[in-house]
Amino acid sequence: MKFENKIIWITGASSGIGKALAIELSKYNCKLILSSRREEELQDVKRNCSKPENVEVLTLDLADYLNMKPIAESAIKRFGKVDILINNGGISQRSPIIETSIEVDKKLMEIDYLGTIALSKALLPHFVTNTSGHYVVVSSLMGKFSSHYRSAYCGAKHALHGFFDALRLEHDKDNIKVTIICPGFVNTNVARNALTADGTQQGYQDEMTENGLDVDVFVSKMIKAIRKEKFEAYIGKFEKFGVFVKRLSPRLIHKLVMRSKVR
């Protein structure tokens, strides 16, 4: 797949992976729609893109998952169509299960799962009509195997795999592609913004995230995976091999994660 002359919609585009992805994709001859809740930050990302005139800003809140249809219609009107939707928006969580309020579990499911699938479903008729479309879903290695203190996050990410695997099957006949990107540790603010047991933000970086892949390195690998239309891509350092260990022995990955210093 080539990005030239494509219209690409990126959620969670105001910071982290989404911001770096927008800036890198803007170097191609394509048009971008950038979304998140924060318009001022999106405008700043737009100004940093290679061709700001080819970039549109469209605010949305994934938690408002019952109202995604007009958002999708607005996105389509910006450039007349959408070719690729990169579902990157979301939040993480850091807290023991026994201490975590069910409201935190609910919020993670609303934003990371329901918001993502609601937006994707709102755009689906457009893709079907065009007999073309590509969903890119930023999941996590935690969508393939779990770790301490991320129960709500792992649950939401596992759910994304189930949904988008089904979508890929149902709409293969419509030439609709699905690529699920599974990052390991990437040096962004994801840990600082993660919710704790009572729903407040953690507010600090953790060692594993800080020592993770540089975001620009990650984005370069992510773009290669999208271009190859991979079903799934596992991008990280040593932690990415946990996916293959899990396939071979669920008991072994349990022991390895237990020994890790993940927090």
Side-chain angles (χ1 to χ4, degrees):
M1 177 222 272
K2 296 181 179 180
F3 296 125
E4 287 72 19
N5 301 314
K6 300 291 186 183
I7 292 93
I8 305 172
W9 186 6
I10 307 171
T11 68
S14 58
S15 63
I17 290 171
K19 176 180 179 179
L21 186 62
I23 291 171
E24 185 61 28
L25 285 175
S26 73
K27 298 174 184 177
Y28 295 84
N29 184 29
C30 63
K31 294 181 171 64
L32 301 176
I33 303 168
L34 308 182
S35 290
S36 79
R37 292 175 300 155
R38 304 178 295 177
E39 182 168 4
E40 186 175 340
E41 286 83 349
L42 289 173
Q43 293 292 349
D44 183 61
V45 175
K46 176 178 177 175
R47 285 189 290 270
N48 281 279
C49 287
S50 295
K51 296 179 181 178
E53 66 274 15
N54 287 340
V55 179
E56 286 281 328
V57 165
L58 175 60
T59 58
L60 66 79
D61 184 353
L62 289 172
D64 189 23
Y65 56 88
L66 294 177
N67 295 301
M68 290 301 173
K69 186 175 180 180
I71 296 291
E73 291 171 350
S74 179
I76 293 165
K77 289 177 182 177
R78 300 302 171 102
F79 295 113
K81 65 181 296 195
V82 173
D83 296 297
I84 304 169
L85 171 60
I86 301 179
N87 285 302
N88 171 69
I91 56 174
S92 191
Q93 166 248 344
R94 300 286 190 279
S95 55
I97 294 170
I98 197 168
E99 298 174 7
T100 303
S101 165
I102 194 65
E103 290 301 317
V104 172
D105 297 90
K106 180 173 178 283
K107 189 167 186 177
L108 265 290
M109 288 301 294
E110 286 177 341
I111 294 173
D112 288 3
Y113 178 68
L114 290 174
T116 295
I117 70 165
L119 185 62
S120 299
K121 291 177 76 170
L123 193 61
L124 184 57
H126 177 70
F127 280 176
V128 170
T129 297
N130 293 335
T131 59
S132 177
H134 193 165
Y135 291 107
V136 179
V137 184
V138 179
S139 174
S140 170
L141 293 181
M142 298 295 95
K144 303 297 289 184
F145 62 93
S146 295
S147 182
H148 314 67
Y149 313 119
R150 293 159 171 80
S151 56
Y153 181 71
C154 292
K157 293 301 187 180
H158 273 72
L160 286 174
H161 285 259
F163 176 85
F164 281 99
D165 283 349
L167 189 151
R168 187 192 291 115
L169 287 165
E170 290 186 22
H171 291 281
D172 180 79
K173 66 182 185 300
D174 300 309
N175 193 35
I176 295 172
K177 313 295 183 183
V178 175
T179 295
I180 304 179
I181 304 292
C182 300
F185 296 107
V186 182
N187 191 1
T188 68
N189 284 327
V190 64
R192 291 188 179 93
N193 297 329
L195 302 186
T196 58
D198 63 358
T200 57
Q201 289 187 346
Q202 176 169 263
Y204 61 86
Q205 186 72 298
D206 61 58
E207 183 180 350
M208 299 294 283
T209 303
E210 189 167 7
N211 292 328
L213 282 180
D214 179 83
V215 69
D216 292 325
V217 173
F218 172 84
V219 162
S220 176
K221 294 177 182 292
M222 178 177 174
I223 286 174
K224 287 179 182 178
I226 298 169
R227 295 189 79 151
K228 291 179 180 179
E229 298 181 350
K230 287 190 173 183
F231 275 27
E232 290 188 355
Y234 316 119
I235 305 174
K237 294 184 179 180
F238 67 91
E239 68 274 9
K240 68 183 179 182
F241 297 108
V243 176
F244 307 104
V245 176
K246 174 70 180 289
R247 290 178 189 167
L248 293 171
S249 173
R251 188 178 296 274
L252 178 57
I253 192 64
H254 171 83
K255 290 181 179 179
L256 292 173
V257 176
M258 283 293 293
R259 292 173 187 169
S260 72
K261 296 179 181 180
V262 173
R263 176 58 172 139

